[in-house]
């Protein structure tokens, strides 16, 4: 990674900040596009703004994306910028499709025009692309049948990305990730950060229940995700990697009540009851990923158990985030 010229979109977000930090530590020359950045973001807390080349603007601006690639002689692109929350996407479908689909198109098309420097484009997709399925765990051969605005935007993004390999030979790899948690997620309406914050304040955590059961998700720790990106990049020249999508998950579907109870136990807040809320947004009931392909072709597998990941996460919120004041 030493001096590798890297462009990261979505670097100020939860996952993007961890990738940015890791790449800087590896000696890469990192350029980021910033649409917004809070002082309480992991990106700011880690002081990453002082260690990268910054362009301010929106992923919808294709001219700017191309300018960045040309001016910075970009070799590798990590594309993570997105409207990444289900409920936000549900409320703002037009913005979601604009950012997640057109934004992805802008990155891919600018990269296609500059393969003199660009060697790899890694695109952040999601297990949401598979939608509700009777067959679990999901594998990469399944039909993509996401059906609400966020899920559909990720289906389009995922297909667009792979089409640029098949049509233009652009060296793209797509990662389909389960539910990511870890230090630095400021999206407090997500289960893990939301529960930790409520319990820290002595308040009841929320359990959102759909009409037909309980949500189960494949929870993945952020360090396993950073590794997943590095495995995709380091193996891009291996047969069966470029132009492919890979599932990244633990293979375990954990229900949200179990996650909340584990957090209560680590935080020693078992006496605080949870509040059950009816979910009115249509969401997939159970998600579970088969990551065999990632293991066989990339050598990746999840290393962190949910308990270990949650312990590290809670430790960070308590000893760093909640002390920011
Ligand atoms: N967090 C998860 O559990 C998870 C799971 C699977 C896939 N993903 C995908 O991973 C990626 C990162 O997710 P995250 O959790 O870090 O999300 P996040 O919401 O924390 O970060 C999103 C980033 O995108 C940027 N962004 C949003 N709109 C933009 C625009 N118009 N122009 C430029 N930048 C814009 C934001 O500023 C932020 O930096 C997303 O593509 C998401 O769909 C996330």
């Amino acid at each position: 990674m030493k001096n590798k010229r890297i462009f990261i979109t979505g670097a100020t977000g939860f996952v993007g900040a961890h990738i940015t930090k890791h790449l800087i530590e590896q000696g890469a020359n990192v350029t980021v596009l910033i649409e917004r950045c809070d002082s309480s973001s992991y990106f700011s807390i880690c002081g990453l703004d002082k260690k990268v080349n910054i362009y301010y603007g929106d992923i919808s601006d294709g001219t700017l994306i191309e300018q960045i690639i040309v001016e910075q002689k970009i070799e590798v692109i990590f594309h993570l910028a997105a409207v990444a929350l289900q409920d936000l996407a549900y409320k703002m479908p037009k913005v979601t499709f604009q950012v997640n689909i057109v934004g992805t198109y802008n990155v891919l098309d600018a990269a296609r025009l500059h393969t003199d420097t660009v060697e790899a484009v890694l695109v952040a997709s999601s297990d949401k692309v598979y939608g509700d399925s009777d067959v679990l765990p999901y594998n990469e051969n399944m039909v993509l049948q996401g059906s609400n605005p966020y899920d559909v935007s990720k289906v389009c993004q995922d297909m667009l990305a792979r089409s640029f390999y098949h049509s233009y030979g652009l060296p793209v790899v797509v990662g389909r990730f389960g539910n990511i948690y870890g230090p630095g997620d400021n999206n407090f309406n997500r289960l893990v950060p939301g529960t930790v914050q409520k319990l820290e304040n002595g308040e009841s955590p929320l359990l959102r229940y759909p009409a037909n059961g309980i949500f189960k998700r494949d929870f993945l720790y952020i360090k396993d995700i950073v590794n997943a990106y590095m495995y995709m990049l380091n193996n891009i020249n291996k047969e069966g990697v470029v132009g492919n999508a890979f599932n990244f998950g633990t293979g375990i579907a954990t229900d949200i009540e179990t996650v909340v109870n584990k957090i209560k136990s680590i935080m020693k807040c078992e006496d605080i009851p949870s509040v059950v809320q009816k979910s009115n947004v249509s969401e997939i009931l159970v998600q579970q990923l088969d990551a065999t392909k990632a293991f066989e072709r990339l050598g990746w597998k999840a290393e962190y158990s949910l308990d270990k990941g949650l312990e590290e996460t809670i430790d960070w919120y308590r000893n760093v985030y909640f002390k920011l004041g």
Side-chain angles (χ1 to χ4, degrees), residues 211-254:
N212 56 342
I214 183 163
F215 291 124
K216 290 184 184 177
R217 296 289 180 260
D218 194 326
F219 290 92
L220 262 180
Y221 190 52
I222 186 71
K223 287 186 182 168
D224 280 327
I225 299 298
V226 173
N227 272 342
Y229 273 99
M230 296 308 127
Y231 277 78
M232 283 193 280
L233 184 56
N234 293 337
N235 288 290
I236 195 153
N237 293 322
K238 233 175 106 179
E239 208 188 318
V241 174
V242 76
N244 275 262
F246 290 91
N247 285 348
F248 293 100
T250 60
I252 302 165
T254 308

Side-chain angles (χ1 to χ4, degrees), residues 235-296:
N235 288 290
I236 195 153
N237 293 322
K238 233 175 106 179
E239 208 188 318
V241 174
V242 76
N244 275 262
F246 290 91
N247 285 348
F248 293 100
T250 60
I252 302 165
T254 308
D255 71 76
I256 58 165
E257 188 169 3
T258 298
V259 175
V260 168
N261 287 341
K262 281 179 185 288
I263 297 173
K264 282 184 187 176
S265 161
I266 296 168
M267 294 181 75
K268 307 212 180 328
C269 294
E270 288 99 332
D271 52 327
I272 302 182
S274 302
V275 168
V276 173
Q277 195 184 56
K278 205 172 153 270
S279 169
N280 47 14
V281 176
S282 131
E283 275 186 66
I284 303 164
L285 189 62
V286 182
Q287 300 205 266
Q288 184 182 16
L289 290 150
D290 176 354
T292 305
K293 182 174 169 184
F295 181 67
E296 287 179 353

Side-chain angles (χ1 to χ4, degrees), residues 181 219 221 223-224 250 301-306 308-309 312:
Y181 67 96
F219 290 92
Y221 190 52
K223 287 186 182 168
D224 280 327
T250 60
K301 69 175 170 53
E303 303 287 348
Y304 270 76
S305 67
L306 184 53
K308 186 156 180 263
E312 279 196 12

Side-chain angles (χ1 to χ4, degrees), residues 87-324:
D87 51 349
L88 207 58
Y90 187 79
K91 285 179 200 143
M92 312 189 315
K94 188 173 176 184
V95 175
T96 302
F97 293 134
Q98 175 74 16
V99 173
N100 296 7
I101 303 173
V102 178
T104 299
Y105 170 80
N106 288 339
V107 171
L108 295 166
D109 202 46
R112 171 178 79 92
L113 299 174
H114 297 286
T115 44
D116 50 328
T117 61
V118 176
E119 307 163 351
V121 184
L122 307 182
V123 175
S125 183
S126 164
D127 58 356
K128 302 279 184 284
V129 295
Y130 295 111
D132 262 313
S133 170
D134 293 335
V135 183
L136 287 168
Y138 303 125
N139 69 57
E140 291 85 347
N141 296 325
M142 287 179 171
V143 174
L144 306 188
Q145 53 183 17
S147 62
N148 66 32
Y150 176 72
D151 303 359
V152 169
S153 76
K154 297 307 273 188
V155 171
C156 296
Q157 178 203 40
D158 189 302
M159 294 181 79
L160 254 178
R162 287 177 293 118
S163 83
F164 268 73
Y165 168 73
H166 293 292
S167 306
Y168 307 110
L170 187 69
V172 174
V173 187
V174 173
R176 295 178 184 157
F177 303 101
N179 271 52
I180 308 165
Y181 67 96
D185 191 355
N186 282 6
N187 300 299
F188 286 98
N189 47 359
R190 284 186 179 150
L191 183 70
V192 173
T195 301
V196 174
Q197 189 182 52
K198 289 270 184 198
L199 292 173
E200 182 71 8
N201 294 336
E203 297 167 14
S204 289
L206 286 185
L207 283 176
R208 286 187 313 105
Y209 273 76
N212 56 342
I214 183 163
F215 291 124
K216 290 184 184 177
R217 296 289 180 260
D218 194 326
F219 290 92
L220 262 180
Y221 190 52
I222 186 71
K223 287 186 182 168
D224 280 327
I225 299 298
V226 173
N227 272 342
Y229 273 99
M230 296 308 127
Y231 277 78
M232 283 193 280
L233 184 56
N234 293 337
N235 288 290
I236 195 153
N237 293 322
K238 233 175 106 179
E239 208 188 318
V241 174
V242 76
N244 275 262
F246 290 91
N247 285 348
F248 293 100
T250 60
I252 302 165
T254 308
D255 71 76
I256 58 165
E257 188 169 3
T258 298
V259 175
V260 168
N261 287 341
K262 281 179 185 288
I263 297 173
K264 282 184 187 176
S265 161
I266 296 168
M267 294 181 75
K268 307 212 180 328
C269 294
E270 288 99 332
D271 52 327
I272 302 182
S274 302
V275 168
V276 173
Q277 195 184 56
K278 205 172 153 270
S279 169
N280 47 14
V281 176
S282 131
E283 275 186 66
I284 303 164
L285 189 62
V286 182
Q287 300 205 266
Q288 184 182 16
L289 290 150
D290 176 354
T292 305
K293 182 174 169 184
F295 181 67
E296 287 179 353
R297 299 194 192 180
L298 308 174
W300 179 91
K301 69 175 170 53
E303 303 287 348
Y304 270 76
S305 67
L306 184 53
D307 293 275
K308 186 156 180 263
L310 286 175
E311 268 171 33
E312 279 196 12
T313 304
I314 291 163
D315 187 63
W316 182 83
Y317 281 107
R318 284 193 143 163
N319 291 309
V320 180
Y321 189 82
F322 296 138
K323 288 192 173 157
L324 286 176

